[in-house]
Amino acid sequence: MDKRRTFSDKTKFEVVLEVLKGQRTMAEIAAQFEVHPIQVGRWKKVFLERGPSMFFSGKTAEETEWESERERQMKKIGEKGMELDFAKKT
């Protein structure tokens, strides 16, 4: 039974960069890296779909605002819990 070959992310990235340079055909690049041309096309597609998210630098303003509001509410709940515990003890 044949074991499937696995390629590192670095290798996939190198292959896709070669394709995007456009200096050689996808078939030539696939032959050089000993990968099927269809697989090279799949890697390129995934890279182009996910590429923009690699440069996303954090959360949106809405997410940040929501998180700060959540923190304020959790703090209030904690304070009310402490007041309730104190009231129960006295």
Side-chain angles (χ1 to χ4, degrees):
M1 183 176 207
D2 291 331
K3 182 180 174 189
R4 289 182 178 225
R5 293 187 310 164
T6 57
F7 297 92
S8 69
D9 293 339
K10 183 180 177 184
T11 302
K12 293 176 186 179
F13 185 70
E14 290 174 10
V15 171
V16 172
L17 282 180
E18 287 295 320
V19 171
L20 293 176
K21 285 180 186 176
Q23 295 173 349
R24 297 183 308 180
T25 66
M26 200 176 302
E28 291 172 335
I29 296 167
Q32 175 191 347
F33 287 93
E34 298 177 357
V35 180
H36 196 279
I38 291 176
Q39 187 64 54
V40 173
R42 288 180 184 154
W43 291 345
K44 178 184 172 188
K45 180 181 176 187
V46 169
F47 179 80
L48 293 176
E49 287 172 353
R50 296 183 187 169
S53 67
M54 295 169 51
F55 299 104
F56 182 66
S57 62
K59 301 174 183 170
T60 63
E62 185 177 302
E63 289 173 326
T64 305
E65 182 181 332
W66 183 85
E67 285 181 0
S68 70
E69 178 62 26
R70 181 179 179 271
E71 287 177 25
R72 282 192 295 260
Q73 295 299 327
M74 293 301 285
K75 186 176 178 182
K76 282 184 183 179
I77 290 170
E79 290 171 358
K80 295 298 179 184
M82 288 174 54
E83 289 175 9
L84 183 61
D85 287 344
F86 181 75
K88 285 181 182 179
K89 290 180 182 178
T90 57

